[in-house]
Amino acid sequence: MKEVVVIGAGPAGLATIKSLSEYKDELNITAYEISNRVGGIWVNRDSHRQTPMYDTLRTNNTKDMLAHPDFPLPPDIQESFLPQYMILDYLENFARHFQLYDFIKFRHTVLNVDILSSVNGVEKWNVMVRNEETGAVTNKKCDAVLVATGHETEMHIPEVDGMKTFTGEIIHTRYFQDSTYYVGKTIVLVGAGFSGLDIFTEIHTVAKKIYLSHHDERIKAPLPENSEYVPDVARLDGDDIIFTDGRVVQADIILLATGYRYDFPFLSENCRPVVKDDHVTNIYRMMVDIEHPSLYYIGLNKLGLPFREFSMQADLATAFITERIPAVSKEEMQKEYEERYKKYVTDPGLRPKDFHIVTMTQFEYADTIMEQSGRQKPGRVVTEKIFERVLKIAVKNFLKYKSSIYRLIDEENFEIIYEDEVFSDL
């Protein structure tokens, strides 16, 4: 039997274990999880690690888009944008339903992953782990490693001139728990991605003033009276925050919704990928290490439908590991990577890190990997239709879109049960 190691038991890890477990008669699967429970990023106040989660967070995707395609959320849930606790419950139920707990070793930290041997291009791996309950360090030899640790661990703190002179507080949104700390404060909120807009929604009712700093031309929704849009921060000087248009304001807090960087500290230098400008380089199908084809990354992509994508990537990895589909040569993999990079980064003039942003390309990507793995997933057409609708209304008014309610009719159609009247012209 082949020995396979999965790192992480959050949403990506669980999807990976589930796909592999369908071939448990051929694979010996071991998953290592640093915490004492499944759920990963969806666990709030985890005593074993910091997660960027808070109690009042609601999903950015509807329940029908969010769910693993082989395990829908209960149909009696009426709302579409679900609170954190429901998603955590869902993941725990997912793990129980597919009997995934049998494969998970909790409170185990992966310290090092390294190449044990390489014969005719086939590598064996050594995974060093520490049992956090006993302190014992052991080594696991295996044939494949699947990294499913997410990409919300290493905070991205932008370098701003004069940052050390700022007299107020600079806080990353990773540490946000609720709006209490921001009552009566003047805040510069940097970043208008989903996390930044979610936190704006949480604090605008209690803050004295919010300056929402961003450069996304799509974000033009009307703001409350105590808030205004401002461009990027150019520099800091003591009390002063100077923006790129020359405007100067003072604030109690600069709140950084600036995202995260890819980080794989447990991978040895022999196999750690080159990350350049927050772009994980040389990966086939956005998930297979070209130089080390038995090393897989599940869940590198951003701003798509994560649970669905995790399941499809896991199916493709499983198909390779079990040899149900033919291996791809390094030359073919390199060609695919370079063509994808040219098409989605070089030609449109985007940044290297945009390689992983799949908002507008995820469905084409999903079709490609489903065809290659031979595993089609239900809900493909209707999911794309709902996603396009939600993206449109979220851009129009991010303060109101999560009150919307949708219902699936069939594999291709959905109906709008409720949307705020501000969206009536869309």
Side-chain angles (χ1 to χ4, degrees), residues 155-166:
M155 295 177 288
H156 169 51
I157 308 294
E159 294 182 5
V160 179
D161 287 346
M163 183 176 283
K164 292 183 179 179
T165 73
F166 183 58

Side-chain angles (χ1 to χ4, degrees), residues 18 22-23 70 315 369-371 373-377:
K18 187 264 181 189
E22 295 176 20
Y23 301 95
D70 297 328
D315 283 347
I369 60 175
M370 284 192 295
E371 180 180 1
S373 71
R375 295 290 299 271
Q376 296 296 314
K377 297 293 186 181

Side-chain angles (χ1 to χ4, degrees), residues 195-318:
S195 63
L197 298 181
D198 284 345
I199 287 176
F200 179 94
T201 304
E202 295 284 332
I203 65 177
H204 80 270
T205 57
V206 301
K208 178 181 179 181
K209 176 76 176 183
I210 302 179
Y211 298 97
L212 181 53
S213 170
H214 75 96
H215 50 256
D216 189 336
E217 295 180 354
R218 299 171 302 168
I219 306 300
K220 301 176 181 177
L223 298 178
E225 290 184 0
N226 69 337
S227 306
E228 62 180 287
Y229 292 115
V230 291
D232 291 343
V233 176
R235 60 189 178 90
L236 305 175
D237 185 5
D239 295 337
D240 293 338
I241 302 167
I242 302 98
F243 299 102
T244 54
D245 62 357
R247 196 178 337 179
V248 180
V249 304
Q250 292 77 42
D252 302 297
I253 298 171
I254 297 175
L255 188 55
L256 299 175
T258 49
Y260 300 83
R261 293 190 180 279
Y262 293 104
D263 186 42
F264 310 102
F266 47 84
L267 295 181
S268 78
E269 293 183 2
N270 295 322
C271 59
R272 187 179 302 161
V274 175
V275 180
K276 184 178 181 181
D277 298 325
D278 211 31
H279 161 223
V280 182
T281 62
N282 294 311
I283 48 172
Y284 170 71
R285 295 284 191 243
M286 305 178 81
M287 57 172 280
V288 184
D289 190 306
I290 295 172
E291 290 301 314
H292 311 285
S294 53
L295 175 60
Y296 302 86
Y297 299 90
I298 308 300
L300 289 180
N301 295 343
K302 300 179 180 181
L303 300 181
L305 302 178
F307 292 13
R308 290 185 63 84
E309 186 173 287
F310 299 158
S311 70
M312 296 171 194
Q313 290 182 326
D315 283 347
L316 182 56
T318 300

Side-chain angles (χ1 to χ4, degrees), residues 281-290 316 320 328-329 332-337 340 365 372:
T281 62
N282 294 311
I283 48 172
Y284 170 71
R285 295 284 191 243
M286 305 178 81
M287 57 172 280
V288 184
D289 190 306
I290 295 172
L316 182 56
F320 280 131
V328 181
S329 71
E332 289 179 85
M333 289 194 286
Q334 189 68 36
K335 182 174 183 288
E336 187 272 347
Y337 165 72
R340 177 176 290 277
Y365 172 69
Q372 187 172 5

Side-chain angles (χ1 to χ4, degrees), residues 181-192:
Y181 190 70
Y182 303 91
V183 173
K185 302 286 179 66
T186 297
I187 301 157
V188 173
L189 177 55
V190 179

Side-chain angles (χ1 to χ4, degrees), residues 7-8 30-36 104-111 128-134 136-138:
I7 305 174
T30 305
Y32 296 110
E33 167 56 46
I34 192 172
S35 187
N36 62 351
I104 304 171
K105 291 184 179 296
F106 292 104
R107 300 294 292 125
H108 280 69
T109 300
V110 174
L111 302 175
M128 181 187 295
V129 297
R130 180 176 61 232
N131 182 324
E132 298 296 349
E133 298 296 327
T134 67
V137 175
T138 55

